Amino acid sequence: MTTTKEPLLKVKGLKQHFQINNNFTVKAVDGVDFVIYPGETYGLVGESGSGKSTIGRSLIRLYDPTAGEIEFDHMDISGKMNRETKDRLRTEMQMIFQDPMACLNPRKKVGEIIAQGLDIHHLYQNRTERAEKVAKMLEKVGLAPEHADRYPHQFSGGQRQRVGIARALIMNPKLVIADECISALDVSIQAQVVNLMKDLQVETGTTYLFIAHDLSMVKYISDRIGVLHLGHLVETGTTDEIFENPVHPYTQSLLSAIPRPNPQLERQRVAKGYDYKAEGVDYTKGVRHHLGGEHFVLATPEELERWTANQK
Ligand SMILES: Nc1ncnc2c1ncn2[C@@H]1O[C@H](COP(=O)(O)OP(=O)(O)OP(=O)(O)O)[C@@H](O)[C@H]1O
Ligand SMILES: [Mg+2]
């Protein structure tokens, strides 16, 4: 990955608020800045309710952003979009969801499900070309051509997720948003699906926004990571910067919760607590500080001093 490239996605000051009633608004995403470079995998982590899915859904415009700018491949996709921009967004950005059973139409054969995007956007000349594209895609994700005639319930969880990947990648997207796409699978199958995604990325050069709870999987797949808490990106950096030198106490607490494979190290592991209220942290007061390299942390000057005091 090189950072001299132009980003594929630029997000600036993105807010996504949901008004519940007259006096209550959920600030699910409350001003986040990040970029994703072409060909890289950006891991988005954070506890349940931190706003990960909301960011994914805002990017692909399932919501109208409350505020902020989103630029995707030099197109402004944050405001009202014209027909051409919408069309490009619907083809060039694709999403893979957590629960394939919930998003694959149970009455449709898998071949039809995979070809849906091609059908909508008229991306083939004739039936033969359509069938060839589907067969080729099935093969790429490790399924067989005859699987096209089966229904989603005839597949295992791992196979269904392969169908979800095929459905996204057949569009030849520039960006794939994978929202907890392996969390529902058995651990042994998770590794297979992640490796498949990695292989397909090498082959196609596509870019991933990989959303997950599981930090060990994120560490394995990501080039860079954003740590999200309460709708704010509290720390961003390369995978090494985040794992080797976490500065924000929230990142530290997330990392300290990962069990270590080595029993001796696991015995020494101390889970670090983090209570932002007790620590008096107010994310709206912090600004992004550059720590070097690709590493940024959200902090007030006083917090920054405190958090970096014991380092180096
Ligand atoms: N459509 C909506 N209307 C109202 N509130 C919402 C809506 N979508 C999300 N929220 C709220 O916004 C916050 C962030 O939710 P989100 O689903 O983005 O979190 P998440 O990080 O994806 O969590 P998880 O890890 O559990 O998937 C939560 O408090 C959630 O209840
Ligand atoms: Mg989510």
mmCIF file of all heavy atoms in Angstrom, residues 258-286:
data_model
loop_
_atom_site.group_PDB
_atom_site.id
_atom_site.type_symbol
_atom_site.label_atom_id
_atom_site.label_comp_id
_atom_site.label_asym_id
_atom_site.label_seq_id
_atom_site.Cartn_x
_atom_site.Cartn_y
_atom_site.Cartn_z
ATOM 1 N N ILE A 258 -8.149 -8.757 24.022
ATOM 2 C CA ILE A 258 -7.936 -9.861 23.083
ATOM 3 C C ILE A 258 -7.179 -10.984 23.784
ATOM 4 O O ILE A 258 -6.070 -10.769 24.290
ATOM 5 C CB ILE A 258 -7.079 -9.427 21.865
ATOM 6 C CG1 ILE A 258 -7.662 -8.173 21.222
ATOM 7 C CG2 ILE A 258 -6.952 -10.547 20.850
ATOM 8 C CD1 ILE A 258 -6.786 -7.621 20.117
ATOM 9 N N PRO A 259 -7.724 -12.199 23.811
ATOM 10 C CA PRO A 259 -6.997 -13.308 24.416
ATOM 11 C C PRO A 259 -5.735 -13.619 23.608
ATOM 12 O O PRO A 259 -5.729 -13.472 22.394
ATOM 13 C CB PRO A 259 -7.986 -14.485 24.320
ATOM 14 C CG PRO A 259 -9.284 -13.914 23.917
ATOM 15 C CD PRO A 259 -9.013 -12.610 23.243
ATOM 16 N N ARG A 260 -4.659 -13.998 24.292
ATOM 17 C CA ARG A 260 -3.407 -14.316 23.585
ATOM 18 C C ARG A 260 -3.322 -15.821 23.364
ATOM 19 O O ARG A 260 -3.665 -16.603 24.259
ATOM 20 C CB ARG A 260 -2.208 -13.874 24.433
ATOM 21 C CG ARG A 260 -2.319 -12.459 24.958
ATOM 22 C CD ARG A 260 -1.208 -11.584 24.420
ATOM 23 N NE ARG A 260 -1.470 -10.178 24.726
ATOM 24 C CZ ARG A 260 -0.837 -9.494 25.686
ATOM 25 N NH1 ARG A 260 0.091 -10.083 26.411
ATOM 26 N NH2 ARG A 260 -1.119 -8.244 25.895
ATOM 27 N N PRO A 261 -2.836 -16.238 22.186
ATOM 28 C CA PRO A 261 -2.750 -17.675 21.904
ATOM 29 C C PRO A 261 -1.714 -18.379 22.796
ATOM 30 O O PRO A 261 -1.871 -19.540 23.136
ATOM 31 C CB PRO A 261 -2.313 -17.741 20.435
ATOM 32 C CG PRO A 261 -2.102 -16.354 19.962
ATOM 33 C CD PRO A 261 -2.445 -15.401 21.045
ATOM 34 N N ASN A 262 -0.670 -17.671 23.200
ATOM 35 C CA ASN A 262 0.369 -18.257 24.037
ATOM 36 C C ASN A 262 -0.106 -18.251 25.504
ATOM 37 O O ASN A 262 -0.341 -17.199 26.070
ATOM 38 C CB ASN A 262 1.642 -17.418 23.862
ATOM 39 C CG ASN A 262 2.774 -17.874 24.751
ATOM 40 O OD1 ASN A 262 2.548 -18.453 25.812
ATOM 41 N ND2 ASN A 262 3.982 -17.604 24.315
ATOM 42 N N PRO A 263 -0.231 -19.454 26.121
ATOM 43 C CA PRO A 263 -0.814 -19.531 27.478
ATOM 44 C C PRO A 263 -0.038 -18.712 28.498
ATOM 45 O O PRO A 263 -0.629 -18.116 29.406
ATOM 46 C CB PRO A 263 -0.742 -21.020 27.825
ATOM 47 C CG PRO A 263 -0.348 -21.731 26.589
ATOM 48 C CD PRO A 263 0.169 -20.746 25.601
ATOM 49 N N GLN A 264 1.284 -18.666 28.338
ATOM 50 C CA GLN A 264 2.096 -17.914 29.287
ATOM 51 C C GLN A 264 1.778 -16.419 29.217
ATOM 52 O O GLN A 264 1.583 -15.753 30.236
ATOM 53 C CB GLN A 264 3.566 -18.144 28.974
ATOM 54 C CG GLN A 264 4.433 -17.990 30.205
ATOM 55 C CD GLN A 264 5.872 -18.370 29.896
ATOM 56 O OE1 GLN A 264 6.173 -19.011 28.881
ATOM 57 N NE2 GLN A 264 6.769 -17.975 30.757
ATOM 58 N N LEU A 265 1.703 -15.910 27.964
ATOM 59 C CA LEU A 265 1.360 -14.498 27.778
ATOM 60 C C LEU A 265 -0.077 -14.236 28.206
ATOM 61 O O LEU A 265 -0.386 -13.179 28.758
ATOM 62 C CB LEU A 265 1.540 -14.100 26.310
ATOM 63 C CG LEU A 265 2.984 -14.032 25.804
ATOM 64 C CD1 LEU A 265 3.024 -13.722 24.324
ATOM 65 C CD2 LEU A 265 3.787 -12.994 26.587
ATOM 66 N N GLU A 266 -0.945 -15.222 27.961
ATOM 67 C CA GLU A 266 -2.357 -15.060 28.317
ATOM 68 C C GLU A 266 -2.495 -14.893 29.837
ATOM 69 O O GLU A 266 -3.293 -14.099 30.315
ATOM 70 C CB GLU A 266 -3.176 -16.259 27.803
ATOM 71 C CG GLU A 266 -4.638 -16.288 28.212
ATOM 72 C CD GLU A 266 -5.478 -15.108 27.704
ATOM 73 O OE1 GLU A 266 -4.999 -14.370 26.825
ATOM 74 O OE2 GLU A 266 -6.593 -14.926 28.223
ATOM 75 N N ARG A 267 -1.689 -15.623 30.602
ATOM 76 C CA ARG A 267 -1.742 -15.508 32.062
ATOM 77 C C ARG A 267 -1.321 -14.117 32.518
ATOM 78 O O ARG A 267 -1.787 -13.609 33.520
ATOM 79 C CB ARG A 267 -0.863 -16.575 32.708
ATOM 80 C CG ARG A 267 -1.630 -17.867 33.019
ATOM 81 C CD ARG A 267 -0.866 -18.754 33.981
ATOM 82 N NE ARG A 267 0.400 -19.224 33.440
ATOM 83 C CZ ARG A 267 0.526 -20.286 32.653
ATOM 84 N NH1 ARG A 267 -0.536 -20.974 32.310
ATOM 85 N NH2 ARG A 267 1.703 -20.659 32.199
ATOM 86 N N GLN A 268 -0.408 -13.483 31.732
ATOM 87 C CA GLN A 268 0.086 -12.154 32.123
ATOM 88 C C GLN A 268 -0.825 -11.022 31.649
ATOM 89 O O GLN A 268 -0.649 -9.871 32.037
ATOM 90 C CB GLN A 268 1.471 -11.909 31.505
ATOM 91 C CG GLN A 268 2.538 -12.818 32.075
ATOM 92 C CD GLN A 268 3.771 -12.837 31.185
ATOM 93 O OE1 GLN A 268 3.838 -12.140 30.178
ATOM 94 N NE2 GLN A 268 4.747 -13.645 31.555
ATOM 95 N N ARG A 269 -1.777 -11.381 30.784
ATOM 96 C CA ARG A 269 -2.608 -10.336 30.184
ATOM 97 C C ARG A 269 -3.479 -9.657 31.244
ATOM 98 O O ARG A 269 -4.111 -10.307 32.044
ATOM 99 C CB ARG A 269 -3.500 -10.964 29.103
ATOM 100 C CG ARG A 269 -4.433 -9.976 28.412
ATOM 101 C CD ARG A 269 -5.061 -10.621 27.199
ATOM 102 N NE ARG A 269 -6.013 -11.667 27.556
ATOM 103 C CZ ARG A 269 -7.308 -11.454 27.783
ATOM 104 N NH1 ARG A 269 -7.808 -10.242 27.679
ATOM 105 N NH2 ARG A 269 -8.108 -12.459 28.105
ATOM 106 N N VAL A 270 -3.460 -8.320 31.253
ATOM 107 C CA VAL A 270 -4.314 -7.581 32.170
ATOM 108 C C VAL A 270 -5.323 -6.802 31.340
ATOM 109 O O VAL A 270 -4.948 -5.953 30.526
ATOM 110 C CB VAL A 270 -3.485 -6.572 33.000
ATOM 111 C CG1 VAL A 270 -4.369 -5.892 34.044
ATOM 112 C CG2 VAL A 270 -2.303 -7.268 33.658
ATOM 113 N N ALA A 271 -6.593 -7.116 31.518
ATOM 114 C CA ALA A 271 -7.615 -6.384 30.770
ATOM 115 C C ALA A 271 -7.733 -4.981 31.349
ATOM 116 O O ALA A 271 -7.932 -4.796 32.543
ATOM 117 C CB ALA A 271 -8.943 -7.118 30.847
ATOM 118 N N LYS A 272 -7.537 -3.983 30.476
ATOM 119 C CA LYS A 272 -7.568 -2.589 30.929
ATOM 120 C C LYS A 272 -8.971 -2.043 30.818
ATOM 121 O O LYS A 272 -9.597 -2.164 29.780
ATOM 122 C CB LYS A 272 -6.654 -1.758 30.015
ATOM 123 C CG LYS A 272 -5.401 -1.261 30.690
ATOM 124 C CD LYS A 272 -4.647 -0.334 29.774
ATOM 125 C CE LYS A 272 -4.646 1.048 30.382
ATOM 126 N NZ LYS A 272 -4.058 2.074 29.579
ATOM 127 N N GLY A 273 -9.452 -1.453 31.870
ATOM 128 C CA GLY A 273 -10.791 -0.859 31.808
ATOM 129 C C GLY A 273 -10.708 0.528 31.198
ATOM 130 O O GLY A 273 -9.646 1.137 31.144
ATOM 131 N N TYR A 274 -11.836 1.019 30.711
ATOM 132 C CA TYR A 274 -11.877 2.393 30.214
ATOM 133 C C TYR A 274 -13.257 2.956 30.466
ATOM 134 O O TYR A 274 -14.247 2.385 30.031
ATOM 135 C CB TYR A 274 -11.543 2.444 28.724
ATOM 136 C CG TYR A 274 -11.770 3.803 28.093
ATOM 137 C CD1 TYR A 274 -11.085 4.929 28.559
ATOM 138 C CD2 TYR A 274 -12.663 3.967 27.043
ATOM 139 C CE1 TYR A 274 -11.291 6.175 28.000
ATOM 140 C CE2 TYR A 274 -12.876 5.218 26.464
ATOM 141 C CZ TYR A 274 -12.181 6.315 26.941
ATOM 142 O OH TYR A 274 -12.384 7.541 26.379
ATOM 143 N N ASP A 275 -13.299 4.021 31.226
ATOM 144 C CA ASP A 275 -14.570 4.655 31.531
ATOM 145 C C ASP A 275 -14.417 6.127 31.155
ATOM 146 O O ASP A 275 -13.794 6.903 31.875
ATOM 147 C CB ASP A 275 -14.861 4.489 33.030
ATOM 148 C CG ASP A 275 -16.204 5.095 33.404
ATOM 149 O OD1 ASP A 275 -16.747 5.880 32.606
ATOM 150 O OD2 ASP A 275 -16.694 4.784 34.499
ATOM 151 N N TYR A 276 -14.939 6.483 29.975
ATOM 152 C CA TYR A 276 -14.682 7.843 29.478
ATOM 153 C C TYR A 276 -15.297 8.904 30.373
ATOM 154 O O TYR A 276 -14.781 10.000 30.495
ATOM 155 C CB TYR A 276 -15.146 7.984 28.022
ATOM 156 C CG TYR A 276 -16.645 8.065 27.846
ATOM 157 C CD1 TYR A 276 -17.261 9.282 27.634
ATOM 158 C CD2 TYR A 276 -17.420 6.923 27.894
ATOM 159 C CE1 TYR A 276 -18.634 9.354 27.478
ATOM 160 C CE2 TYR A 276 -18.790 6.983 27.751
ATOM 161 C CZ TYR A 276 -19.398 8.205 27.545
ATOM 162 O OH TYR A 276 -20.741 8.275 27.403
ATOM 163 N N LYS A 277 -16.382 8.547 31.047
ATOM 164 C CA LYS A 277 -17.014 9.540 31.929
ATOM 165 C C LYS A 277 -16.124 9.805 33.135
ATOM 166 O O LYS A 277 -15.857 10.944 33.492
ATOM 167 C CB LYS A 277 -18.386 9.048 32.373
ATOM 168 C CG LYS A 277 -19.443 9.346 31.326
ATOM 169 C CD LYS A 277 -20.848 9.064 31.866
ATOM 170 C CE LYS A 277 -21.864 9.163 30.756
ATOM 171 N NZ LYS A 277 -22.882 8.113 30.844
ATOM 172 N N ALA A 278 -15.643 8.688 33.745
ATOM 173 C CA ALA A 278 -14.773 8.830 34.916
ATOM 174 C C ALA A 278 -13.489 9.580 34.557
ATOM 175 O O ALA A 278 -12.968 10.352 35.344
ATOM 176 C CB ALA A 278 -14.439 7.448 35.487
ATOM 177 N N GLU A 279 -12.992 9.331 33.338
ATOM 178 C CA GLU A 279 -11.764 10.012 32.921
ATOM 179 C C GLU A 279 -12.024 11.440 32.457
ATOM 180 O O GLU A 279 -11.093 12.175 32.120
ATOM 181 C CB GLU A 279 -11.105 9.230 31.772
ATOM 182 C CG GLU A 279 -10.643 7.856 32.211
ATOM 183 C CD GLU A 279 -9.357 7.444 31.525
ATOM 184 O OE1 GLU A 279 -8.692 8.308 30.915
ATOM 185 O OE2 GLU A 279 -9.025 6.256 31.617
ATOM 186 N N GLY A 280 -13.290 11.802 32.369
ATOM 187 C CA GLY A 280 -13.641 13.152 31.960
ATOM 188 C C GLY A 280 -13.369 13.448 30.495
ATOM 189 O O GLY A 280 -13.098 14.589 30.122
ATOM 190 N N VAL A 281 -13.425 12.395 29.661
ATOM 191 C CA VAL A 281 -13.146 12.597 28.244
ATOM 192 C C VAL A 281 -14.418 13.043 27.530
ATOM 193 O O VAL A 281 -15.469 12.419 27.664
ATOM 194 C CB VAL A 281 -12.613 11.300 27.591
ATOM 195 C CG1 VAL A 281 -12.355 11.516 26.109
ATOM 196 C CG2 VAL A 281 -11.352 10.837 28.295
ATOM 197 N N ASP A 282 -14.317 14.160 26.810
ATOM 198 C CA ASP A 282 -15.434 14.646 26.007
ATOM 199 C C ASP A 282 -14.952 14.708 24.554
ATOM 200 O O ASP A 282 -14.164 15.569 24.192
ATOM 201 C CB ASP A 282 -15.861 16.028 26.512
ATOM 202 C CG ASP A 282 -17.010 16.601 25.685
ATOM 203 O OD1 ASP A 282 -17.374 15.998 24.658
ATOM 204 O OD2 ASP A 282 -17.527 17.668 26.080
ATOM 205 N N TYR A 283 -15.445 13.738 23.747
ATOM 206 C CA TYR A 283 -14.925 13.617 22.383
ATOM 207 C C TYR A 283 -15.151 14.864 21.539
ATOM 208 O O TYR A 283 -14.407 15.127 20.616
ATOM 209 C CB TYR A 283 -15.530 12.395 21.686
ATOM 210 C CG TYR A 283 -15.078 11.085 22.286
ATOM 211 C CD1 TYR A 283 -15.946 10.011 22.388
ATOM 212 C CD2 TYR A 283 -13.779 10.926 22.730
ATOM 213 C CE1 TYR A 283 -15.546 8.811 22.928
ATOM 214 C CE2 TYR A 283 -13.360 9.729 23.286
ATOM 215 C CZ TYR A 283 -14.245 8.671 23.379
ATOM 216 O OH TYR A 283 -13.829 7.496 23.917
ATOM 217 N N THR A 284 -16.205 15.622 21.872
ATOM 218 C CA THR A 284 -16.481 16.792 21.038
ATOM 219 C C THR A 284 -15.444 17.897 21.268
ATOM 220 O O THR A 284 -15.331 18.821 20.485
ATOM 221 C CB THR A 284 -17.887 17.370 21.325
ATOM 222 O OG1 THR A 284 -17.947 17.716 22.707
ATOM 223 C CG2 THR A 284 -18.980 16.344 21.019
ATOM 224 N N LYS A 285 -14.679 17.785 22.358
ATOM 225 C CA LYS A 285 -13.664 18.805 22.662
ATOM 226 C C LYS A 285 -12.312 18.473 22.033
ATOM 227 O O LYS A 285 -11.464 19.346 21.871
ATOM 228 C CB LYS A 285 -13.495 18.945 24.176
ATOM 229 C CG LYS A 285 -14.726 19.495 24.868
ATOM 230 C CD LYS A 285 -14.344 20.247 26.143
ATOM 231 C CE LYS A 285 -15.524 20.982 26.727
ATOM 232 N NZ LYS A 285 -16.301 20.142 27.667
ATOM 233 N N GLY A 286 -12.108 17.196 21.707
ATOM 234 C CA GLY A 286 -10.810 16.786 21.173
ATOM 235 C C GLY A 286 -10.654 17.135 19.702
ATOM 236 O O GLY A 286 -11.637 17.331 18.993
#
